[in-house]
Amino acid sequence: MFRKRPPPVEEERRVRANDREYNEKFQYASNCIVTSKYNIITFLPVNLFEQFQEVANTYFLFLLILQLIPQISSLSWFTTIVPLALVLSITAVKDATDDYFRHKSDSQVNNRQSQVLIRGYLQNEKWMNVRVGDIIKLENNQFVAADLLLLSSSEPHGLCYIETAELDGETNMKVRQSISVTAELGDPNNLASFNGEVVCEPPNNKLDRFCGTLYWRDKKYTLTNQNMLLRGCVLRNTEACYGLVIFAGPDTKLMQNSGRTKFKRTSIDRLMNTLVLWIFGFLVCMGVILAVGNAVWEREVGSLFQSYLPWNPPVDNFLFNAFLSFWSYVIILNTVVPISLYVSVEVIRLGHSYFINWDQHMFCSQCNTAAEARTTTLNEELGQVEYIFSDKTGTLTQNIMSFNKCSINGQTYGEVTDPLGPQPKRLDFTPFNPLADPDFCFCDDSLLESVKVGDAHTHEFFRLLSLCHTVMSEELSEGELVYKAQSPDEGALVTAARNFGFVFRSRTPGTITTTEMGRPVTYTLLAILDFNNIRKRMSVIVRNPEGRIRLYCKGADTVLLERLHPCNQELMNITSDHLNEYAADGLRTLALAYKDLSEEEWEIWSESHSCADKATDYREDRLAAAYEQIEQDMMLLGATAIEDKLQEGVPETIAVLSLANIKIWVLTGDKQETAVNIGYSCKMLTDDMTEVFIISGHTVQSVRQELRRARERMIELSRIRDGEKGAGMEGWGEACFMGNGLSEGQEGDQEERRGGGGGKEQQSSTPPHSSNLMENISGEFALIINGHSLAHALEADMELEFVLTACACKAVICCRVTPLQKALVVELIKKHKRAVTLAIGDGANDISMIKSAHIGVGISGQEGIQAVLASDYSFSQFRFLQRLLLVHGRWSYLRMCRFLCYFFYKNFAFTMVHFWFGFFCGFSAQTVYDQYFITLYNIVYTSLPVLAMGIFDQDVPDQRSLEYPKLYEPGQLNLLFNKKEFFICIAQGIYTSVVLFFVPYAVLSEATQSNGVPLADYQTFAVTTATALVIVVSVQICLDTGFWTVINHVFVWGSLGFYFTIMVALHSQTLFRIFPSQFHFVGSAQSTLLQPVVWLTIALATAICIVPVLAFRFLKLDLKPQLSDTVRSTQLVRQKKRKPLGHSVGGAWRGVGSVSEGRLGARGGSRRSGYAFAHQEGFGELITSGKNMRLSSLALATFASRHSSSWIDTLRRKKHIHCHTPPSASGESSPAPSCISGSVPPLSNSSSVLGGSQDTSIEEETVMAPHQQNTQTVTPSSTQTPPASAAAPQGPAQALRDASVLSSSAVRCHSEDSPGGWTFTLGTLQEALFGWKGTAARSSASSSPGPLPDAKETRQTL
């Protein structure tokens, strides 16, 4: 009702340049964007409508209406309307604040200035005033205001360069070109007379496609995406250009890919809505029971009192009286869900948000940026995340490449010989080469010495890097070179050659000029054999000044090594070993080769190449064949290894989140090769994985077959893995890998036949059985899918196939996806898995994904703040995500669950006393307590203690939450507050109400005062019951509070003091004299609380309520402890054993993220086809045509500097022991303590993470720390089978052992790694906690890599 009628659906768009009147006939959208939800007029009605969609708000509004009816209301109306108005106001202010920031962002964008050609003159106009058909002038480094057709440019041939980071996250520059007929319209006078008409496709969200036709001067010209500048792009390295507005505002492709702002609510909110309905039904049932009782009582007994206690008009019979009694009881019993619950929830969430904002561990000093909770409604949802969808560029990586290592003629350079020793110094290239880049970092001086002594192979290696590329050079001043690379990979390689004395200076369409060892050299560029995704290589053919012709080639090792001359076999073997090492370190590799050509060979090939280039049919195939012909029998030079700089702490964060059973999917617009390399670098993908599947089909049928083939392969490998655990499995595992570690989806017809039709029949005929089968597979798999394949996989009849396959994998990488596809993937998981999802990104291309996920996180990086403005939480580094989830998210979930459990308990205990009292007061809707106690109970007497618990409570410290990621799993499984826990709380509350009513009733009915006066009166009973209630719920919250602060003490004991103070005041004679009709309980408190029997009654009721709770909790702790119980126990013992001079664990953990660039041990593995290319096909042809050669020298954009991070060698594989807790959705037990596969040591803050080798054996580590007599170690063994005694649950000792196994803290914790050092033994700990020794600890020695009792026991067990 508040929205405009949508415009009619367009079939095609017609735009005439410089003719606003013509274009306005079509009612195209203006360039004004609106991302906000409200305006001044619609805010109040729309916001109230949204708030009353909350069942609780509607429920309280209904109660308020009932209370306004005097015949049925026994409570004042203000007891409901004041809290309801407060809740609505707080929520409205919060929503208004959030929307204000959206309005502010919209205003900032809409008021940007743009130069618009109006009546032949350029005039400054706000973006919001730009219209379809206008011609706009853009200048260097300006944002594109709308989707434009490029008409002309200051660059030759109508070229311009753009950066599309806001659209697809890529920061490398792309080239756009105007059509030739408009390229000469560079003058505003010429453009003012331009009246061409464009007919094109309607607005859509496809970023890589545009189809249109320009009609001008009775001719038509085809338009493609290469002629378009999309909104959100930035003009780079181009002085100026002109464009015609085709799509504006909401019709632009950027906005078409931005999802609508959605109202997000947590799963606890949705559950509470359901529970409120149940409680209302329970309330109606109680009201019916009491109304029936009222009817019976009035008919049988009440009629005897009619003479002096008549019914109030208009009641004239017992049935109508029972009807009114029903509504009266509905009002009285409504406190089972008081409005204060929702006020308290909002206050608690606000407190949690401030804790996130104030967390110094999530503050980035480099960016001077703190974490920010931009919403207060989703904090507890942070503790339930199961799927994380992450962007790559700018989120996981810094998108900066560094030349890290190389292999030249069989000699490797750049290796760090001793990762534990002092780091080598950075080389200073300035004395050797005045043209060197001062920002280039390399530490191996042996390579520089090889260059200086004139080694021929080394010189040829760097000569190739300086010639074989498509980089453009700008010389701002003498010796000040700036390279403009289409991909950061090429920029890194050319910069490396520059620093080692082979400086690329400039190029023309036919020449390349370099400076080699201080001597200028100009090469004739004969041909560029361009790169594409099929060739995976590029070559150049050049003629040196001496007239010799040589072909230089660089490309993926998997394709280049196949094209070498047979005489290179020995060198190829050595280089292949080096490539394996580089790939194992997660580096992007390239192989380099050359070939000498004679004049005759060149002439023959040049002719065939010319024919292929001029061919009208199958041109690409003919060119590929010509390239293939010349790129044979090459000579190997060596290989390069480039590191794509990850953000600090990314691998560690992914490792810890994986241990918390959180699946991470990477959704990126980058190429497959780039994404795969980053997957290896951040350890999402490892060579230890069972298999990595690539889905790259171009049709629905091919994608379906590849997905099914992947599932069949997973099931087959899982059965083999589960059925054969002896020797020989390693050989089978090696056979399952391809040479590069990836399994192509298309290959394997033999596998398809071997898989048999049974697997396919399973998938197609019985999807539920297939789903269960996929959930129970063992092994670690990964899935990589391309954008065109994903488009088919997201279709309605394919999405279940995709979900089944992808969710069985440990890691999923989606490449070349559009922003809308990112959102669709998130929606797909939300739909089929019903899991809490989190999306994290840093660019405008991530906005739709961020809005679609349950929780959106924006990284305030280098791609603007649009993602931050659309997000729910923001910070500057990906590594802060683990603290946001494992600490703040888990605590928020824990606190909210404990708060709700206690709140429902205390209110049922309070309210159900009225129900029991109804059987003793003739069902007359009489309250037990006075109305002031009823009003103040939830506002004053019990509100502050539960608020303190909800805001400050912890089960374990933040450091333990990070060290024990399995503590996160109860939130994922929703174990702490669900329907079962709700009914347990209700049952405890009802039990407490029975005790609080019947114990005082039974005692006081026979009790007398010291003077013989009976105590069995209504006011004494009310005071006794109310006092017992306040004391019981206060004792209960003391038991529920796990972390005591000064505020907890003040609130708990202060609330008790407030109760007695207010009660004595309300029962005083002073108030009675002032308001005799309001305060009827004059003197009751003083006389009642002076009676010893009353205090004995209160003590008895308290004991009966609390003792069973204490007994149950002690038994549960002893017989079936949770992981958090075990962690707390170990923490207590650790504190007792603490030494006075120990360092903190926190310091050790924080050191993990700042490990230097020394790599933590090499992992062996097969070579991947991960090569350092990330640019587009066709750029070489553009260079040779001369179209991209500029006329003048322009200032280039500055590329931001970034730094690298270290990583953990391997992610751990988890095997869950099914004990203590129900299984998770994936079939694994959680959050029960579990053991980690012994083949991979746990993540720790011991030397294995801080710099030691992950592969160090037990004996070596023991020698490394001889001073530590109690160092806890065990030899990892992936094939070791635990004995039966270890597999069976052993009570709390078993849980304690499991906790030590599952902990990601130190397996070997030295005294400097934790407070006081972990010098206790497990046997000592068990004896201290439970009185158990030795045997139980020894039983776990062979089953888990956890700490063992002592050195002697270790040797005996092993």
Side-chain angles (χ1 to χ4, degrees), residues 250-267:
D251 292 341
T252 60
K253 293 184 183 289
L254 174 65
M255 298 304 296
Q256 289 281 312
N257 276 282
S258 297
R260 289 180 56 190
T261 301
K262 298 181 180 179
F263 180 64
K264 297 184 178 181
R265 293 161 55 196
T266 67
S267 58

Side-chain angles (χ1 to χ4, degrees), residues 125-143:
E125 284 281 355
K126 296 179 180 179
W127 277 24
M128 67 171 65
N129 298 327
V130 172
R131 296 290 182 267
V132 172
D134 288 349
I135 294 178
I136 296 178
K137 179 183 180 182
L138 293 176
E139 295 180 346
N140 193 34
N141 295 326
Q142 280 189 346
F143 278 95

Side-chain angles (χ1 to χ4, degrees), residues 528-560:
I528 294 182
L529 285 60
D530 207 1
F531 165 88
N532 64 32
N533 281 325
I534 299 175
R535 284 168 39 77
K536 297 183 180 180
R537 63 191 183 276
M538 76 162 290
S539 301
V540 296
I541 302 177
V542 297
R543 189 195 305 269
N544 66 10
E546 290 77 27
R548 188 174 58 188
I549 300 174
R550 178 165 286 184
L551 178 145
Y552 290 106
C553 181
K554 67 180 181 183
D557 50 290
T558 52
V559 296
L560 194 141

Side-chain angles (χ1 to χ4, degrees), residues 204-250:
N204 59 73
N205 53 38
K206 294 180 173 60
L207 295 174
D208 57 351
R209 191 182 67 123
F210 178 81
C211 294
T213 305
L214 172 65
Y215 294 89
W216 189 41
R217 295 176 180 174
D218 299 327
K219 292 184 180 180
K220 62 179 183 178
Y221 307 90
T222 301
L223 304 176
T224 67
N225 199 51
Q226 283 298 111
N227 310 125
M228 295 295 294
L229 304 179
L230 302 184
R231 178 177 179 136
C233 298
V234 182
L235 191 67
R236 298 292 192 198
N237 308 323
T238 306
E239 187 176 357
C241 69
Y242 292 88
L244 172 66
V245 177
I246 304 296
F247 301 119

Side-chain angles (χ1 to χ4, degrees), residues 429 432-433 435-436 448 451 459 462-463 466 495-504 514-519:
F429 292 91
F432 161 72
N433 179 10
L435 294 175
L448 184 58
V451 173
H459 280 206
F462 287 113
R463 182 176 292 114
S466 68
T495 301
R498 168 184 174 180
N499 278 264
F500 283 99
F502 290 77
V503 185
F504 167 63
T514 63
T515 298
E516 298 183 356
M517 304 300 290
R519 180 173 58 91

Side-chain angles (χ1 to χ4, degrees), residues 348 355 895 898-899 902 941-954 1033-1057:
I348 289 172
F355 288 155
R895 292 162 177 167
R898 288 186 175 180
F899 164 81
Y902 175 78
Y941 300 152
T942 60
S943 62
L944 294 181
V946 72
L947 272 180
M949 181 181 72
I951 294 176
F952 300 107
D953 201 30
Q954 304 174 14
V1033 297
S1034 297
V1035 173
Q1036 182 66 44
I1037 201 169
C1038 290
L1039 297 177
D1040 290 345
T1041 301
F1043 182 75
W1044 283 86
T1045 65
V1046 175
I1047 297 177
N1048 291 85
H1049 284 286
V1050 171
F1051 282 2
V1052 171
W1053 313 124
S1055 295
L1056 280 173

